[in-house]
Amino acid sequence: MRLFSEATIEQARQKIGSTSWAAEGWQAVQHRVAEWHRRPGQIPEEAGGWIHNYICPEHWLPLRYNGNLSDYHACPAGHVCAGKKYDAAWRVWRHRQIADLAREAALAYVVLGVESGRETAVSILAQYAGFYSRLDGQSDAETWMLTGHAFNQALTEALWAIPLIHTYDLVADTLDSTLQAQLTQDLWQPLANVMTRAQDKLIAQNRIESNYMAWLNVTIGCLGFALNDPALIERAVQPPAGFTAHLDKAIFADGLEYEGSPYYHNFVLLAYLILAEAAKVNNVNLYTVTGSQGQTLTGMGCAFAQLAWPDGSIPDLSDGSYWQDSIYDSEICQAFEILNAAQPRNKFAWILRAAYRRQNATQDNWAALLYGPGETTTTGSVATGHTILKKSGIAVLRTDKMLAALVPFGPYRGSHHQYDRLSLTVWPFSRDAGSPLYGLPARKAWYPHSYAHNTLVVDGQSHANCGGELLDWDGHCLTTSAPEAYPGVTFKRTTEMKENTILDKVAVQSNETHTFDWVFHLDGDIKSPLDSQPLSGPLANGGAGSYIKLHSQSHVNESVSFDINYRSNFYRLTLTGEQPFTLLLGKSPGTSRYPQQRRHVLIGRTVGTQQRYQTTIVQL
């Protein structure tokens, strides 16, 4: 084996007898492998499409994957979707499921001595080698895609390939020379060509920092180590686009991936931890590699943990896999099982425990069974105090109560950017809107826009593609501005956390008359003593505002308060205006995790040249 050490395999065996979770995890693996061996599933001999199409356009919910039904795609709300794009998206899930099963089968053979596991693993590899050349994933790919061969996207192909390369490495010593040659000629060499061609395209486009690069590199690198190909190894690790160059280019000095998306940060981290473990077996230590600004793999893990809310969940910032039953938590578990074994930290164990709890899952994934040091028994929150990642432009303010706040003020982040500069996310009852699967029209029409976030909207328009600025931070009070958000408009926000209270101030000023909308979304139940007038219809006739449905309005001379009940935790929100304003009340689409659960939205509207809003949120 060139990707897994004998010591790692032996430790996995020993944990079966010493830890209950490992024994139970391997039993689950054996069961899945035995079920496949007893009734082998059919491997689709067609390319996979775009996984982001696997969403119901009516209910905005991910479709329920069933590996036995290639043309029946049911929404949890009861709607059934049909058509080629759904079938092609289903094939992505199916191919990835089979690749994961192949790795589990190979592990069952190597760790447990299950011969049927070896037979299953070899059969899957041989079948893919038999028809890989006939796949044509690029034929129906969209023009913007970095195309693959077995899938529309090279990125998807890399995600599918890694467990298959692991599978090969685990059983390679048992293969005869004929099958070895077939796999090399018909699968691994063509796959390497797809990956290196995609890598070269990103280099030519000056997109070395792309999160795609991490998964291209890990695939190229694992192929290089498994096949003992020095040229592929050098491509994966060295400049111009290998691990060392990508770490330096894509990761900020504070440890966060440049897009400011926790999802894509962990996505990149997982790829490089897989590469680091393979490299370690071959006497190359990527854990000690340090970028020009101090970036390291351990630092990436720490930056991710620093973003956590007090319950261990992670804010849904920018784009990402922020939908029901997504693979996000599973990827967190894989990444932090590897990282916590290699570089143990209490915060890593805590992140792990929270991710398993959210999934209601056991430690039966491949990374836990191979690398997991023990049961994730860390208790209590390690997300205490405040976090400010100045380069990334993210501040998280926490108390020891059920109350925390986040303000993003960082730079424009490219294609996964959302129009949420200087927004105020309040945990636990006013979280970020998130991002659904990208094939949903509302993913572009609603979720990224300023009206979907707790920020200031001017004249009904989202702010410009811009970043914000940090004006002051004294350890507990944050002052930020967004001078380029709206031309001719000065926009500042000051946010302070004290014990059980958030004090937030928004100041806006212009030489011309504008409509200034202070926006705040929340979940739970709300009550207000303010008399209001009925109102019916959308906030706007087009654009993101059309997704907000108003039901009442009030005139506010000075301030208005709302009592909030969120899961039996009680809060009071008081909004005060320096000048009188109109309060609009309505409902907005639910977060991308629960899109059918419409949210309350409060809009403080001022028409004029200036306004100062102060919001006080107190946990009662």
Side-chain angles (χ1 to χ4, degrees):
M1 293 181 295
R2 295 179 178 273
L3 304 182
F4 304 102
S5 70
E6 292 290 350
T8 297
I9 299 300
E10 182 56 34
Q11 288 170 6
R13 293 191 187 106
Q14 292 177 2
K15 281 183 290 192
I16 297 173
S18 61
T19 59
S20 59
W21 69 265
E24 293 169 0
W26 282 109
Q27 285 179 356
V29 168
Q30 280 186 278
H31 176 74
R32 290 192 289 267
V33 172
E35 281 294 302
W36 180 276
H37 187 74
R38 185 168 61 88
R39 291 188 301 177
Q42 184 175 0
I43 302 178
E45 296 190 16
E46 293 180 79
W50 192 38
I51 204 167
H52 287 282
N53 281 329
Y54 214 59
I55 188 167
C56 175
E58 181 177 344
H59 299 101
W60 300 10
L61 292 167
L63 300 175
R64 286 178 170 163
Y65 168 76
N66 184 325
N68 297 317
L69 299 174
S70 62
D71 57 359
Y72 182 85
H73 316 293
C75 163
H79 185 67
V80 176
C81 297
K84 290 183 178 180
K85 74 173 185 178
Y86 299 109
D87 296 346
W90 175 90
R91 289 196 296 274
V92 175
W93 285 122
R94 185 59 170 167
H95 283 305
R96 290 192 62 182
Q97 178 193 22
I98 291 169
D100 287 342
L101 187 280
R103 176 169 55 194
E104 288 193 331
L107 284 169
Y109 167 69
V110 171
V111 176
L112 305 176
V114 178
E115 177 60 27
S116 61
R118 190 195 73 84
E119 294 171 2
T120 295
V122 172
S123 173
I124 291 172
L125 290 174
Q127 288 182 71
Y128 273 122
F131 63 76
Y132 181 83
S133 64
R134 300 197 300 272
L135 299 175
D136 189 17
Q138 65 267 36
S139 64
D140 59 348
E142 297 186 26
T143 55
W144 59 267
M145 291 179 173
L146 184 69
T147 55
H149 178 73
F151 300 85
N152 285 170
Q153 290 188 289
L155 173 63
T156 314
E157 194 148 339
L159 293 165
W160 161 79
I162 285 297
L164 289 179
I165 299 168
H166 281 168
T167 301
Y168 170 74
D169 185 63
L170 290 163
V171 300
D173 291 344
T174 73
L175 305 179
D176 61 41
S177 59
T178 301
L179 183 53
Q180 285 273 19
Q182 181 191 8
L183 288 170
T184 300
Q185 178 178 326
D186 297 339
L187 185 57
W188 305 137
Q189 287 181 349
L191 175 64
N193 291 338
V194 171
M195 296 294 109
T196 55
R197 183 174 66 247
Q199 187 193 53
D200 287 341
K201 285 183 179 179
L202 289 179
I203 294 171
Q205 295 167 1
N206 196 27
R207 295 172 59 200
I208 292 174
E209 73 279 3
S210 169
N211 64 67
Y212 291 14
M213 192 65 81
W215 283 93
L216 299 178
N217 283 338
V218 66
T219 306
I220 293 168
C222 284
L223 279 172
F225 287 123
L227 301 176
N228 195 23
D229 187 325
L232 291 179
I233 295 170
E234 183 174 359
R235 254 188 182 266
V237 176
Q238 300 299 332
F243 167 75
T244 57
H246 189 253
L247 180 74
D248 200 56
K249 182 83 170 177
I251 309 304
F252 282 154
D254 53 29
L256 202 66
E257 198 256 358
Y258 80 100
E259 294 170 288
S261 161
Y263 172 76
Y264 283 110
H265 176 88
N266 186 76
F267 187 66
V268 169
L269 177 60
L270 174 58
Y272 281 142
L273 290 170
I274 293 172
L275 180 61
E277 287 301 313
K280 186 164 63 175
V281 175
N282 293 273
N283 300 313
V284 178
N285 192 345
L286 299 186
Y287 289 103
T288 61
V289 172
T290 303
S292 61
Q293 301 177 75
Q295 307 99 310
T296 64
L297 289 174
T298 304
M300 289 180 68
C302 291
F304 186 83
Q306 284 181 290
L307 294 176
W309 295 123
D311 65 349
S313 60
I314 307 296
D316 292 345
L317 285 172
S318 300
D319 285 346
S321 294
Y322 306 137
W323 48 83
Q324 280 186 31
D325 302 322
S326 85
I327 56 176
Y328 185 17
D329 279 330
S330 173
E331 291 174 344
I332 291 174
C333 289
Q334 293 174 58
F336 279 83
E337 288 285 11
I338 299 171
L339 184 59
N340 193 45
Q343 307 287 321
R345 301 285 193 282
N346 283 340
K347 65 182 71 176
F348 298 163
W350 177 69
I351 288 292
L352 260 178
R353 181 173 177 269
Y356 280 118
R357 184 176 63 245
R358 286 192 298 274
Q359 299 176 89
N360 192 27
T362 57
Q363 289 176 267
D364 65 350
N365 63 79
W366 71 275
L369 295 172
L370 281 180
Y371 302 108
E375 297 184 62
T376 54
T377 56
T378 300
T379 59
S381 173
V382 298
T384 57
H386 306 319
T387 293
I388 183 163
L389 302 179
K390 292 184 178 181
K391 184 66 176 178
S392 297
I394 300 172
V396 185
L397 310 181
R398 307 178 185 89
T399 68
D400 57 359
K401 309 292 184 181
M402 287 288 292
L403 188 64
L406 182 149
V407 177
F409 58 89
Y412 172 66
R413 305 182 188 281
S415 62
H416 291 303
H417 176 88
Q418 293 192 350
Y419 302 96
D420 61 352
R421 297 306 86 178
L422 276 57
S423 60
L424 175 69
T425 302
V426 178
W427 178 88
F429 63 86
S430 182
R431 300 194 187 211
D432 193 85
S435 175
L437 283 155
Y438 300 172
L440 183 73
R443 180 254 170 170
K444 289 186 176 181
W446 165 251
Y447 283 97
H449 285 279
S450 296
Y451 266 133
H453 299 89
N454 298 345
T455 189
L456 184 81
V457 179
V458 179
D459 296 332
Q461 302 298 311
S462 292
H463 66 64
N465 283 336
C466 67
E469 296 178 358
L470 175 64
L471 300 181
D472 187 55
W473 167 248
D474 65 5
H476 63 88
C477 183
L478 177 82
T479 301
T480 54
S481 70
E484 299 177 0
Y486 296 99
V489 176
T490 300
F491 172 26
K492 294 183 180 179
R493 181 162 227 149
T494 300
T495 308
E496 184 176 4
M497 179 75 77
K498 289 184 176 180
E499 296 182 354
N500 65 335
T501 302
I502 296 171
L503 180 62
D504 182 71
K505 300 176 182 179
V506 171
V508 59
Q509 186 173 3
S510 176
N511 291 328
E512 299 181 1
T513 298
H514 294 281
T515 298
F516 301 120
D517 286 344
W518 170 95
V519 183
F520 193 87
H521 302 264
L522 60 98
D523 298 299
D525 299 321
I526 62 171
K527 292 182 180 180
S528 172
L530 192 69
D531 291 332
S532 59
Q533 299 175 341
L535 189 64
S536 179
L539 176 65
N541 292 325
S546 65
Y547 286 85
I548 295 175
K549 308 304 179 185
L550 300 176
H551 58 68
S552 61
Q553 66 176 353
S554 303
H555 178 77
V556 180
N557 286 319
E558 184 177 354
S559 66
V560 59
S561 294
F562 294 87
D563 287 337
I564 302 166
N565 177 354
Y566 181 77
R567 298 182 178 179
S568 297
N569 292 293
F570 298 92
Y571 306 86
R572 178 166 294 144
L573 182 154
T574 301
L575 174 64
T576 302
E578 188 176 76
Q579 302 177 38
F581 61 93
T582 299
L583 180 69
L584 303 173
L585 303 180
K587 288 293 188 77
S588 59
T591 67
S592 57
R593 296 181 185 274
Y594 306 102
Q596 294 297 297
Q597 298 179 15
R598 293 184 68 82
R599 317 177 79 188
H600 300 285
V601 59
L602 318 178
I603 300 173
R605 171 166 286 183
T606 300
V607 178
T609 59
Q610 62 182 355
Q611 177 63 290
R612 290 179 181 270
Y613 287 114
Q614 176 174 299
T615 308
T616 304
I617 300 172
V618 181
Q619 183 178 2
L620 302 177

